[in-house]
Amino acid sequence: MKNKIGKVLNLILPVIVIVSIFIVWASASNNIDNQYILPSVKATAEEFFALFKSGEFCLSFLKTLGRALTAFVLSFVISFALSILSAKIKHVHSAILPVISVMRALPTIAVVLLLLLWTNSFVAPVIVTLLVVLPTCYTNLENAFWSLDKTIAEAGRVDGANEMQVFLKVELPMIANNLLSTIGSGISLSFKLMVAAEVLSQTATSIGYMLNTSKVYFETAKMMALVLSAVIFGVLIEWLFNKLAKKASSWK
């Protein structure tokens, strides 16, 4: 009985929260009564659906997503390799930790401005997104490798498996859920960071550029629609990979 109630609450509570947010938004918009400051829910919804009829938005979304995925893949590959080294080789963690700490402390806006001096508006957002996402991926993956049950891996070695076989057939399946969760949150974070970096860099053919243009022309409803599209994409990606991560738990 308690399990059923818990499942129902898990379904209902998110809906209640989302509906409450829209009610507050509609009420605030009605009280302010200024579409340039806070557009109505209806105006924003109209702009949101109009975006998908626009070739400019579709192309900009794909370009932004492509840059975000490039930054994420690079971040994930590097952090995956470093986390393995940290778990397998003594003292590697101590050597990597200062670099990760510095990357976490980097002021994003200042880094974007510097990168614009050294590169261009297309490369700078990719690099700054990589610098922010990599430490997060590294920490998640390193913790996953450290939490492995060493006795299971050792049993595989006793049975005659080499290190590569132990890694691929024992260790990797054991952290599959962590890997998938990291991928989902990493892609979502990369996309959001990419949009922010594109706004600062004024990257042509991007969601960030469309946000900049909307700001110049006081198209507040369109700005909110663009932000909403990024939020929905991020939420869907995280939801999808969290679902996959739960299924992957059965691989252990």
Side-chain angles (χ1 to χ4, degrees):
M1 184 66 181
K2 288 183 178 180
N3 289 336
K4 288 183 179 179
I5 293 173
K7 289 180 179 179
V8 171
L9 287 175
N10 286 337
L11 291 172
I12 293 176
L13 287 177
V15 175
I16 292 174
V17 172
I18 292 171
V19 171
S20 299
I21 291 172
F22 278 103
I23 290 173
V24 172
W25 176 3
S27 177
S29 176
N30 185 57
N31 289 330
I32 293 172
D33 195 24
N34 188 326
Q35 293 295 308
Y36 293 110
I37 296 176
L38 184 61
S40 65
V41 175
K42 180 183 177 183
T44 303
E46 289 173 351
E47 285 289 348
F48 177 78
F49 290 111
L51 288 176
F52 295 94
K53 298 177 182 178
S54 166
E56 179 191 7
F57 171 75
C58 295
L59 182 59
S60 296
F61 184 89
L62 290 174
K63 292 281 188 178
T64 295
L65 179 59
R67 282 187 282 267
L69 289 176
T70 299
F72 169 72
V73 169
L74 291 172
S75 301
F76 185 82
V77 170
I78 295 170
S79 59
F80 188 77
L82 291 177
S83 62
I84 293 174
L85 291 174
S86 180
K88 300 290 184 182
I89 303 174
K90 194 176 181 180
H91 304 307
V92 169
H93 170 76
S94 299
I96 296 173
L97 186 59
V99 179
I100 297 297
S101 298
V102 169
M103 291 174 71
R104 287 186 186 279
L106 288 172
T108 305
I109 294 176
V111 173
V112 171
L113 295 176
L114 283 171
L115 288 170
L116 286 172
L117 293 175
W118 301 331
T119 58
N120 57 52
S121 61
F122 297 98
V123 176
V126 174
I127 296 176
V128 76
T129 300
L130 183 152
L131 291 174
V132 176
V133 174
L134 193 151
T136 302
C137 287
Y138 170 76
T139 301
N140 291 342
L141 293 174
E142 184 186 48
N143 290 336
F145 279 113
W146 279 359
S147 64
L148 283 172
D149 188 343
K150 301 296 190 296
T151 58
I152 298 177
E154 191 59 37
R157 295 185 184 95
V158 171
D159 289 339
N162 57 39
E163 287 300 318
M164 182 59 70
Q165 289 173 325
V166 168
F167 177 73
L168 293 176
K169 296 182 179 181
V170 179
E171 294 179 337
L172 206 56
M174 288 176 67
I175 65 164
N177 58 331
N178 300 88
L179 283 174
L180 290 167
S181 295
T182 300
I183 290 171
S185 59
I187 293 174
S188 176
L189 178 61
S190 295
F191 189 80
K192 288 178 282 191
L193 286 167
M194 183 59 63
V195 172
E198 288 172 346
V199 170
L200 292 171
S201 304
Q202 298 186 29
T203 309
T205 317
S206 69
I207 299 297
Y209 186 80
M210 290 185 71
L211 281 166
N212 265 327
T213 304
S214 300
K215 182 191 70 174
V216 171
Y217 291 104
F218 296 100
E219 297 173 330
T220 314
K222 186 175 181 179
M223 288 179 66
M224 295 192 70
L226 289 165
V227 171
L228 187 60
S229 69
V231 171
I232 291 174
F233 173 77
V235 169
L236 287 176
I237 286 293
E238 290 198 40
W239 175 82
L240 173 62
F241 278 91
N242 284 336
K243 286 288 185 183
L244 292 173
K246 288 180 180 179
K247 289 187 178 181
S249 296
S250 62
W251 300 352
K252 292 184 179 181

